[in-house]
């Protein structure tokens, strides 16, 4: 039985995390998986979240949540994602709680596939390693639009040209902030051109917002989503609270669907059908924490300040890394470190250089060249620099153009 199964191909991010954990060297640095660590190298427990936990502990019996999730959480998330874009949000938006941002993408993909016999999606090249697999598993035909110019900017002309080949109703996958893996985001003016073209071609934007607050702040980072709503355009939003609440293991996510003429009861019903047959209902604890923080004015303000602290620390890491490397590699253009936003920096390191970083220096970087700069701190930055200088100095290979598609094998 089960003799003819294909060999398992490790996920490029989770497999690397396993390899890091199994590495017995004490001097090792994890710059692979997207997890924010503080200056002490620890995954922080936010004080606002701890306070919410103290309030809730013992008070929440562990019963099944409704299929669509905790009402207070759904309400709080809707406000965080959409702000006060319109007075009648409740009639235009359905938000459900999901098992992480991944769960939101999968539920959204299945929901869309149930409404379209030949679902199509175009996603950035490169994009998060799991996007393609999620949409293919739901029956989508996947294509890619170019994302970066050779000089490391958002490729607005390439993206617009690729959209011209898409039929009406096709989905455009968009990262509203802190693009994973490149850290390169469209400017506001470029977003406006993208949204104009999406509306003209009757495409459907599906935003994957996993890093709200890590680029400019929670409201600015949701600008593209909110602009869509202000224009009355339909859209889907997968949001995750793993990173900005530091609640990775709790699997706290949400899926929101917006349309100016949304039949909310019907949409909610069909989302419940998808959830019920997948995992029945979402996990309770993390969502209760997020709702408790967001709904309390003092905790909400404290969380925003903590989020700002994380954002500032990452900016500081970028500046320090840039200064240290520039001193050692004066002929290398390292400006990408300062221009890219959020947790990730797309280094353009070659596969050989990435292998050397790991084998010689115990520095783990995703094979696409994505470096999680949120894993760098004052104690390991010298080791990281030494390793980068070693592999970048050893070879005369130029930085690769940052246009490789990061997708599962
Ligand atoms: C990442 O991109 O590293 C994170 O979103 C974790 C994951 O599941 O891949």
């Amino acid at each position: 039985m089960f003799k003819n199964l294909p060999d398992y191909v490790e996920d490029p991010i989770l497999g690397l995390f396993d390899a890091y954990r199994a590495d017995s060297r004490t001097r090792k640095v994890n710059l692979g998986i997207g997890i924010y660590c503080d200056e002490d190298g620890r995954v922080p427990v936010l004080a606002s979240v701890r306070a919410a936990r103290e309030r809730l502990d013992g008070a929440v019996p562990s019963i099944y949540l409704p299929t669509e999730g905790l009402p207070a959480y759904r309400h709080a998330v809707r406000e965080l994602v959409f702000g006060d874009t319109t007075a009648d949000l409740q009639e235009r938006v359905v938000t459900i709680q999901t098992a992480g941002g991944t769960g939101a993408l999968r539920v959204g993909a299945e929901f869309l596939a149930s409404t379209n016999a030949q679902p199509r999606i175009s996603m950035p090249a490169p994009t998060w390693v799991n996007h393609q697999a999620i949409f293919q598993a739901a029956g989508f035909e996947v294509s890619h639009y170019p994302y970066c110019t050779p000089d490391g900017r958002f490729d607005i002309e390439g993206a617009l040209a690729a959209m011209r080949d898409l039929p009406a109703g096709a989905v455009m996958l968009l990262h509203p902030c802190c693009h994973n893996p490149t850290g390169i985001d469209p400017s506001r003016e470029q977003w406006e051109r993208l949204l104009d073209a999406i509306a003209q071609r009757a495409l459907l934007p599906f935003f994957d917002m996993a890093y709200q607050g890590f680029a400019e702040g929670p409201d600015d980072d949701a600008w593209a989503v909110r602009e869509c709503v202000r224009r009355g355009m339909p859209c889907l939003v997968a949001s995750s609270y793993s990173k900005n609440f530091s609640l990775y293991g709790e699997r706290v996510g949400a899926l929101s669907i917006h349309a100016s003429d949304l039949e909310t009861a019907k949409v909610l019903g069909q989302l419940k059908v998808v959830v019920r047959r997948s995992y029945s209902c979402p996990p309770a604890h993390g969502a209760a924490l997020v709702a408790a923080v967001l709904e309390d004015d003092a905790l909400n303000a404290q969380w925003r300040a903590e989020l700002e602290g994380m954002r500032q620390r990452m900016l500081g890491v970028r500046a320090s890394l840039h200064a240290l490397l520039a001193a050692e590699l004066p002929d290398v253009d390292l400006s990408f470190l300062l221009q890219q936003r959020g947790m990730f920096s797309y280094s353009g390191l070659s596969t050989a250089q990435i292998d050397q970083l790991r084998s010689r220096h115990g520095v783990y970087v995703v094979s696409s060249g994505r470096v999680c700069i949120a894993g760098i701190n004052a104690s390991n930055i010298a080791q990281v620099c030494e390793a980068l200088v070693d592999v970048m100095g050893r070879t005369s290979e130029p930085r690769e153009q940052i246009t490789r598609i990061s997708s599962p094998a």
Side-chain angles (χ1 to χ4, degrees):
M1 239 184 133
F2 305 127
K3 294 267 188 297
N4 297 321
L5 296 177
D7 290 336
Y8 174 60
V9 180
E10 292 274 10
D11 178 90
I13 294 174
L14 300 183
L16 189 73
F17 194 25
D18 289 342
Y20 171 81
R21 281 189 281 226
D23 189 332
S24 57
R25 287 175 286 186
T26 45
R27 259 172 69 80
K28 57 179 181 174
V29 185
N30 185 11
L31 307 183
I33 194 161
I35 294 181
Y36 175 93
C37 293
D38 60 19
E39 262 307 296
D40 298 323
R42 281 194 287 260
V43 179
V45 179
L46 301 188
S48 52
V49 172
R50 194 181 312 120
R53 187 172 278 145
E54 276 158 18
R55 280 186 206 175
L56 290 175
D57 256 2
V60 186
S62 191
I63 54 169
Y64 294 126
L65 289 188
T67 307
E68 67 276 25
L70 195 68
Y73 170 83
R74 294 170 55 214
H75 180 262
V77 162
R78 198 177 61 210
E79 307 248 301
L80 183 61
V81 171
F82 297 98
D84 53 4
T85 38
T86 63
D88 58 349
L89 262 187
Q90 206 161 343
E91 285 132 53
R92 290 162 164 240
V93 175
V94 168
T95 297
I96 64 161
Q97 181 191 334
T98 56
T102 308
L105 289 163
R106 181 60 200 257
V107 171
E110 273 201 45
F111 166 77
L112 292 175
S114 73
T115 68
N116 186 336
Q118 287 182 310
R120 283 191 62 174
I121 185 164
S122 180
M123 45 185 69
T127 194
W128 179 47
V129 292
N130 208 13
H131 276 146
Q132 184 164 332
I134 290 170
F135 283 89
Q136 273 174 344
F140 274 75
E141 183 189 326
V142 176
S143 58
H144 292 90
Y145 60 89
Y147 194 79
C148 310
T149 59
D151 65 345
R153 292 174 204 283
F154 173 59
D155 187 356
I156 178 74
E157 302 306 335
L160 292 174
M163 283 161 70
R164 286 184 210 116
D165 295 333
L166 294 174
V171 177
M172 278 291 283
L173 186 80
L174 301 161
H175 303 219
C177 60
C178 308
H179 177 263
N180 181 1
T182 66
I184 298 167
D185 290 334
S187 65
R188 290 249 168 122
E189 191 223 335
Q190 289 172 332
W191 273 119
E192 290 191 353
R193 291 182 65 196
L194 276 179
L195 294 180
D196 289 347
I198 286 171
Q200 270 160 18
R201 301 204 60 80
L203 304 176
L204 180 60
F206 195 149
F207 293 98
D208 183 4
M209 186 157 63
Y211 305 95
Q212 189 179 1
F214 276 12
E216 301 288 335
D219 294 312
D220 284 338
D221 290 358
W223 187 85
V225 172
R226 295 179 186 180
E227 179 61 11
C228 227
V229 171
R230 281 189 286 269
R231 292 174 177 219
M233 291 166 61
C235 64
L236 282 79
V237 186
S239 51
S240 162
Y241 303 96
S242 296
K243 332 274 178 184
N244 53 11
F245 277 80
S246 196
L247 282 172
Y248 304 86
E250 299 283 357
R251 311 310 299 132
V252 203
L255 173 69
S256 300
I257 301 186
H258 166 265
S260 46
D261 57 352
L262 202 67
E263 292 193 63
T264 51
K266 279 194 173 174
V267 170
L268 178 62
Q270 290 313 306
L271 293 174
K272 287 167 70 166
V273 168
V274 176
V275 171
R276 176 63 170 152
R277 69 184 176 215
S278 308
Y279 52 88
S280 193
C281 66
H285 191 240
L289 294 174
V290 169
V293 170
L294 291 178
E295 291 211 312
D296 181 283
D297 287 346
L299 291 184
N300 190 317
Q302 187 178 16
W303 168 69
R304 282 173 186 261
E306 292 182 286
L307 183 57
E308 178 61 12
M310 293 195 266
R311 191 178 82 83
Q312 290 297 342
R313 196 189 88 73
M314 291 187 284
L315 288 175
V317 168
R318 285 183 183 279
S320 305
L321 189 61
H322 180 266
L324 287 170
L325 285 176
E328 297 293 330
L329 302 168
D331 298 331
V332 181
D333 179 7
L334 299 160
S335 55
F336 67 96
L337 279 170
L338 302 176
Q339 284 157 6
Q340 298 168 356
R341 311 192 312 163
M343 288 180 117
F344 303 123
S345 211
Y346 210 47
S347 63
L349 290 168
S350 69
T351 314
Q353 289 170 321
I354 289 162
D355 288 347
Q356 287 164 5
L357 275 180
R358 177 172 155 183
S359 58
R360 269 199 217 127
H361 300 279
V363 174
Y364 284 70
V365 166
V366 179
S367 54
S368 62
R370 189 191 83 173
V371 179
C372 180
I373 56 117
I376 299 176
N377 57 51
S379 310
N380 64 23
I381 194 164
Q383 182 188 350
V384 171
C385 275
E386 198 182 304
L388 285 169
V389 170
D390 177 41
V391 305
M392 288 167 88
R394 253 171 217 271
T395 149
S396 54
E397 285 175 67
R399 279 183 71 223
E400 286 185 18
Q401 290 192 350
I402 46 180
T403 47
R404 276 179 290 165
I405 296 175
S406 199
S407 55

PDB file of all heavy atoms in Angstrom, residues 377-391:
ATOM      1  N   ASN A 377      20.740  40.777  15.396  1.00  0.00           N
ATOM      2  CA  ASN A 377      20.770  41.635  16.587  1.00  0.00           C
ATOM      3  C   ASN A 377      22.225  41.992  16.897  1.00  0.00           C
ATOM      4  O   ASN A 377      23.154  41.533  16.199  1.00  0.00           O
ATOM      5  CB  ASN A 377      20.097  40.941  17.773  1.00  0.00           C
ATOM      6  CG  ASN A 377      20.735  39.599  18.074  1.00  0.00           C
ATOM      7  OD1 ASN A 377      21.952  39.510  18.206  1.00  0.00           O
ATOM      8  ND2 ASN A 377      19.931  38.551  18.170  1.00  0.00           N
ATOM      9  N   ALA A 378      22.415  42.788  17.958  1.00  0.00           N
ATOM     10  CA  ALA A 378      23.772  43.278  18.272  1.00  0.00           C
ATOM     11  C   ALA A 378      24.731  42.125  18.547  1.00  0.00           C
ATOM     12  O   ALA A 378      25.934  42.241  18.298  1.00  0.00           O
ATOM     13  CB  ALA A 378      23.712  44.216  19.470  1.00  0.00           C
ATOM     14  N   SER A 379      24.227  40.990  19.037  1.00  0.00           N
ATOM     15  CA  SER A 379      25.126  39.878  19.375  1.00  0.00           C
ATOM     16  C   SER A 379      25.557  39.064  18.161  1.00  0.00           C
ATOM     17  O   SER A 379      26.583  38.401  18.210  1.00  0.00           O
ATOM     18  CB  SER A 379      24.458  38.921  20.359  1.00  0.00           C
ATOM     19  OG  SER A 379      23.922  39.619  21.417  1.00  0.00           O
ATOM     20  N   ASN A 380      24.736  39.052  17.102  1.00  0.00           N
ATOM     21  CA  ASN A 380      25.127  38.196  15.966  1.00  0.00           C
ATOM     22  C   ASN A 380      25.475  38.977  14.697  1.00  0.00           C
ATOM     23  O   ASN A 380      25.865  38.386  13.691  1.00  0.00           O
ATOM     24  CB  ASN A 380      24.052  37.126  15.686  1.00  0.00           C
ATOM     25  CG  ASN A 380      22.720  37.725  15.240  1.00  0.00           C
ATOM     26  OD1 ASN A 380      22.665  38.845  14.738  1.00  0.00           O
ATOM     27  ND2 ASN A 380      21.638  36.963  15.410  1.00  0.00           N
ATOM     28  N   ILE A 381      25.352  40.317  14.740  1.00  0.00           N
ATOM     29  CA  ILE A 381      25.538  41.071  13.494  1.00  0.00           C
ATOM     30  C   ILE A 381      26.981  40.951  12.983  1.00  0.00           C
ATOM     31  O   ILE A 381      27.215  40.880  11.764  1.00  0.00           O
ATOM     32  CB  ILE A 381      25.096  42.551  13.649  1.00  0.00           C
ATOM     33  CG1 ILE A 381      24.980  43.206  12.263  1.00  0.00           C
ATOM     34  CG2 ILE A 381      26.033  43.349  14.549  1.00  0.00           C
ATOM     35  CD1 ILE A 381      24.205  44.505  12.251  1.00  0.00           C
ATOM     36  N   ALA A 382      27.950  40.846  13.904  1.00  0.00           N
ATOM     37  CA  ALA A 382      29.339  40.740  13.451  1.00  0.00           C
ATOM     38  C   ALA A 382      29.548  39.415  12.720  1.00  0.00           C
ATOM     39  O   ALA A 382      30.187  39.363  11.662  1.00  0.00           O
ATOM     40  CB  ALA A 382      30.280  40.840  14.653  1.00  0.00           C
ATOM     41  N   GLN A 383      28.956  38.349  13.273  1.00  0.00           N
ATOM     42  CA  GLN A 383      29.078  37.032  12.616  1.00  0.00           C
ATOM     43  C   GLN A 383      28.410  37.057  11.233  1.00  0.00           C
ATOM     44  O   GLN A 383      28.949  36.534  10.253  1.00  0.00           O
ATOM     45  CB  GLN A 383      28.423  35.963  13.500  1.00  0.00           C
ATOM     46  CG  GLN A 383      28.551  34.556  12.923  1.00  0.00           C
ATOM     47  CD  GLN A 383      27.741  33.511  13.709  1.00  0.00           C
ATOM     48  OE1 GLN A 383      27.225  33.800  14.790  1.00  0.00           O
ATOM     49  NE2 GLN A 383      27.645  32.319  13.158  1.00  0.00           N
ATOM     50  N   VAL A 384      27.242  37.685  11.168  1.00  0.00           N
ATOM     51  CA  VAL A 384      26.518  37.748   9.889  1.00  0.00           C
ATOM     52  C   VAL A 384      27.349  38.528   8.865  1.00  0.00           C
ATOM     53  O   VAL A 384      27.507  38.115   7.707  1.00  0.00           O
ATOM     54  CB  VAL A 384      25.120  38.392  10.082  1.00  0.00           C
ATOM     55  CG1 VAL A 384      24.450  38.666   8.748  1.00  0.00           C
ATOM     56  CG2 VAL A 384      24.240  37.503  10.955  1.00  0.00           C
ATOM     57  N   CYS A 385      27.915  39.651   9.303  1.00  0.00           N
ATOM     58  CA  CYS A 385      28.721  40.483   8.395  1.00  0.00           C
ATOM     59  C   CYS A 385      29.951  39.719   7.914  1.00  0.00           C
ATOM     60  O   CYS A 385      30.245  39.717   6.710  1.00  0.00           O
ATOM     61  CB  CYS A 385      29.196  41.734   9.105  1.00  0.00           C
ATOM     62  SG  CYS A 385      27.987  42.983   9.032  1.00  0.00           S
ATOM     63  N   GLU A 386      30.629  39.121   8.861  1.00  0.00           N
ATOM     64  CA  GLU A 386      31.842  38.364   8.511  1.00  0.00           C
ATOM     65  C   GLU A 386      31.506  37.290   7.464  1.00  0.00           C
ATOM     66  O   GLU A 386      32.207  37.115   6.472  1.00  0.00           O
ATOM     67  CB  GLU A 386      32.337  37.691   9.793  1.00  0.00           C
ATOM     68  CG  GLU A 386      33.757  37.211   9.794  1.00  0.00           C
ATOM     69  CD  GLU A 386      34.032  36.521  11.139  1.00  0.00           C
ATOM     70  OE1 GLU A 386      33.837  37.150  12.203  1.00  0.00           O
ATOM     71  OE2 GLU A 386      34.398  35.348  11.089  1.00  0.00           O
ATOM     72  N   ALA A 387      30.368  36.618   7.686  1.00  0.00           N
ATOM     73  CA  ALA A 387      29.958  35.558   6.766  1.00  0.00           C
ATOM     74  C   ALA A 387      29.638  36.127   5.386  1.00  0.00           C
ATOM     75  O   ALA A 387      30.069  35.605   4.355  1.00  0.00           O
ATOM     76  CB  ALA A 387      28.740  34.834   7.342  1.00  0.00           C
ATOM     77  N   LEU A 388      28.910  37.251   5.371  1.00  0.00           N
ATOM     78  CA  LEU A 388      28.529  37.833   4.086  1.00  0.00           C
ATOM     79  C   LEU A 388      29.764  38.342   3.340  1.00  0.00           C
ATOM     80  O   LEU A 388      29.901  38.149   2.128  1.00  0.00           O
ATOM     81  CB  LEU A 388      27.522  38.974   4.293  1.00  0.00           C
ATOM     82  CG  LEU A 388      26.098  38.523   4.645  1.00  0.00           C
ATOM     83  CD1 LEU A 388      25.247  39.715   5.093  1.00  0.00           C
ATOM     84  CD2 LEU A 388      25.426  37.840   3.448  1.00  0.00           C
ATOM     85  N   VAL A 389      30.659  38.977   4.063  1.00  0.00           N
ATOM     86  CA  VAL A 389      31.873  39.494   3.419  1.00  0.00           C
ATOM     87  C   VAL A 389      32.676  38.318   2.858  1.00  0.00           C
ATOM     88  O   VAL A 389      33.174  38.374   1.732  1.00  0.00           O
ATOM     89  CB  VAL A 389      32.710  40.299   4.431  1.00  0.00           C
ATOM     90  CG1 VAL A 389      34.088  40.632   3.866  1.00  0.00           C
ATOM     91  CG2 VAL A 389      31.966  41.583   4.805  1.00  0.00           C
ATOM     92  N   ASP A 390      32.747  37.240   3.640  1.00  0.00           N
ATOM     93  CA  ASP A 390      33.492  36.065   3.180  1.00  0.00           C
ATOM     94  C   ASP A 390      32.907  35.540   1.864  1.00  0.00           C
ATOM     95  O   ASP A 390      33.627  35.395   0.881  1.00  0.00           O
ATOM     96  CB  ASP A 390      33.439  34.977   4.262  1.00  0.00           C
ATOM     97  CG  ASP A 390      34.139  33.711   3.810  1.00  0.00           C
ATOM     98  OD1 ASP A 390      35.214  33.835   3.181  1.00  0.00           O
ATOM     99  OD2 ASP A 390      33.625  32.613   4.063  1.00  0.00           O
ATOM    100  N   VAL A 391      31.588  35.307   1.819  1.00  0.00           N
ATOM    101  CA  VAL A 391      31.037  34.684   0.604  1.00  0.00           C
ATOM    102  C   VAL A 391      30.926  35.683  -0.548  1.00  0.00           C
ATOM    103  O   VAL A 391      31.064  35.315  -1.709  1.00  0.00           O
ATOM    104  CB  VAL A 391      29.673  33.980   0.845  1.00  0.00           C
ATOM    105  CG1 VAL A 391      29.767  32.956   1.954  1.00  0.00           C
ATOM    106  CG2 VAL A 391      28.559  34.956   1.100  1.00  0.00           C
TER     107      VAL A 391
END
